[in-house]
Amino acid sequence: MSSREADATTGAARDADLADAGGTTDTVRRPRAAASGTLRLLGNELATLFTRWRTWAMLGALALIPILIGIAIRIAGGSSAGRGPAFLDQITGNGLFVGIAAMTVAIPLFLPLTIGVTAGDAIAGEASHGTLRYLLIAPAGRIRLLVVKYLAAAAFCLAGTLTVVVLGTLVGWLLFPIGPVTLLSGDEIPVGEGLLRFLAVAAYVAVSLLGLSAIGLFLSTLTTVPIGAMAATSILAVVSQIVGAIPQLEALHPWLFTDRWLDFADLLRSPPVWDSFAANALLQGAYVLVFGTLAITRFVTRDVLS
Amino acid sequence: MSGRAGTVVDDAVADDAADLAIRTRGLTKRFRSQVAVDGLDLAVPRGAVYGFLGPNGSGKTTTIRMLLGLVRATAGEAEVLGSPMPRAIDAVLPRVGALVEGPAFSPYLTGAQNLRRFDAADRHSIGSTRDTRVAEALERVGLSHAAAKKAHAYSLGMKQRLGLANALLMPRDLLVLDEPTNGLDPQGTREVRALIRSFAADGTTVFVSSHLLAEVEQLCTHVGVMSAGRLVAQGTLEELRRSGGRARVRVRTPDAPAARRVLAGLGIEVESGSAASDLEVVVGTLPDDEEAPEAIVAALVAERVRVRGFAVERASLEQRFVELTGEGFDVVA
Ligand SMILES: Nc1ncnc2c1ncn2[C@@H]1O[C@H](COP(=O)(O)OP(=O)(O)OP(=O)(O)O)[C@@H](O)[C@H]1O
Ligand SMILES: [Mg+2]
């Protein structure tokens, strides 16, 4: 009995300590959760993502596309108009188009593959390492963790598309003559404005990938095997594009998240057609909403057994 | 059996539930057809070092996962530090340090980076003191020199230490440690034991699951024993030992007849003597309301019995454990 009384008094003493906010507690723990905490977690997540060897390997693979295109055309000469990927024939005339041509090549498979890896790994990867349980008992908060993971995946989308466009433009600059940019409508704009348009293209494609990222995040909450979620995400991107290429399924096309993936060309008209940017953002937003909700619904009730 | 555990618990709980760091009622987890945890009524007093024992697959880790809000209970309720789990998860878990089913880290980050990551995940932690706290926690588990090493290059024991460091990143009111000495070398084991003692001395409640009964015996004030998903005994270490039958007393003396008389006078059931010899051993079984050993010796000496050897023996924790959970080696699944 006496030992239990002693316990009770220590308990009371501790509570009193906590109540008058002893100095030590104050420096390590804030009484109320602050929004800055979420920003720091996001910062930490981004730092973690971008210190990973794998992330740089994927960005390196994306960078190889414009490099290969640039070198190949430099050595073998330009292709005639209408053959090969769009914009390829423009490169010999204006090196700045290497980035845009590389983007056209990267969109159908390479970019979705890297997004599949990043988004599919988001939760499943933590689960497979067992770190998910330690993040959750930290406690990270399940919804907060999902949001941070999604924002990191979105940051990777932007990093990926910027890699292709920026590196492509640089490669073109080095290997080919450059000059005012001839738009699809035939008008010419100065180099500076052309570069801005190219950055807008990178942003457009990054936005295009947000829907796929949300799908990947959702799939990632379903399994503790990251490779499964990665493969499923990438395969869905391919399937969606195949459906998009079948005319008989035209009724479905406006609903496909890949439907406007190649419409970035509208940004290269004069004046730029922002309608497709808005329509694409809306489409992707709908996917983010649906799959984000699914991911949250699934994740907040899931038993973490890994 | 569970009836006996029940009385011990109810007595302890009845007066003040606020004294409990962990309390569950009818906590149950079913995996498809299998019941992994079945109607658990845990009562862990604040400030206790509570040993959570049970054979493999008896439901210890599953219970811990429910307490920490990782797994949803099928039925029943749990309170941790006075608040319901998992409803109050954001308020409770910053005050709880835990090691669940072994440590786990991102292999591509260093030890220190891993700790910083877990600390950043807690939205109540303060960033400006993070690096100092991480360094201190690493120091405390003897990993300062390996702080910059990638986690995949850590040995089993180093990972275990890093996992403990993660539990110690902040002052905690409750530590939940699932087999904390698993994989540690003797020095590490001693160190962990010393750590747990120092936390207990500070008033931190420690809930520790273990298979190492000797360790539990040295460390714990309270014990709960699981068997096939059920809590088959719970109480203080002393209560658990005592519940395993009465203690026996052995007296070595040349004055056997006098000793027998004295012991019988104290209500001890003396076993009929074996062959008389110069150094006879008198054996008796103590009654339930037993005398303190020193009182028995005093009574013997007062009657001029020459006591040359004296011992009060109880069932060891291991014997009790086997009695409670069964002899069989096969995992009950
Ligand atoms: N994800 C799961 N799916 C199905 N059954 C499970 C799952 N996790 C645990 N179990 C079952 O629940 C029971 C309890 O497992 P638990 O891990 O809690 O045991 P334990 O007491 O921690 O064992 P050990 O001493 O080996 O760590 C076991 O029979 C196990 O098979
Ligand atoms: Mg276990």
Side-chain angles (χ1 to χ4, degrees), chain A residues 241-253:
Chain A
Q241 290 179 88
I242 292 174
V243 172
I246 301 176
Q248 283 78 4
L249 299 176
E250 196 154 3
L252 292 176
H253 291 180

Side-chain angles (χ1 to χ4, degrees), chain B residues 5-36:
Chain B
T7 36
V8 173
V9 178
D10 292 343
D11 290 351
V13 174
D15 41 348
D16 195 359
D19 272 2
L20 295 176
I22 298 174
R23 174 211 193 130
T24 69
R25 288 217 211 119
L27 196 66
T28 301
K29 181 66 191 181
R30 202 170 291 128
F31 291 115
R32 296 205 174 84
S33 61
Q34 187 199 355
V35 184

Side-chain angles (χ1 to χ4, degrees), chain A residues 196-217:
Chain A
L196 281 181
R197 297 275 185 110
F198 289 170
L199 287 181
V201 167
Y204 180 100
V205 180
V207 169
S208 291
L209 295 168
L210 290 181
L212 181 62
S213 300
I215 294 173
L217 185 73

Side-chain angles (χ1 to χ4, degrees), chain A residues 118-157:
Chain A
T118 310
D121 192 48
I123 299 296
E126 301 289 353
S128 77
H129 285 136
T131 42
L132 183 57
R133 62 177 182 268
Y134 286 106
L135 288 171
L136 291 183
I137 63 179
R142 295 192 181 204
I143 295 178
R144 181 166 166 260
L145 186 62
L146 275 181
V147 170
V148 164
K149 283 287 184 185
Y150 184 72
L151 292 178
F156 180 82
C157 294

Side-chain angles (χ1 to χ4, degrees), chain A residues 200 203-204 207-208 260 263-264 266-267 272-286:
Chain A
Y204 180 100
V207 169
S208 291
R260 294 173 174 277
D263 289 358
F264 66 82
D266 285 352
L267 295 174
V273 184
W274 289 97
D275 293 5
S276 44
F277 197 106
N280 182 37
L282 200 68
L283 177 66
Q284 300 301 328

Side-chain angles (χ1 to χ4, degrees), chain A residues 4 18 22 26 45 55 63 71 96 105 152 169 188 195 209 273 300:
Chain A
R4 269 177 8 84
L18 287 177
D26 238 358
E45 182 62 33
T55 307
I71 292 178
L96 295 179
V105 173
T169 310
E188 276 198 357
L195 293 180
L209 295 168
V273 184
V300 292

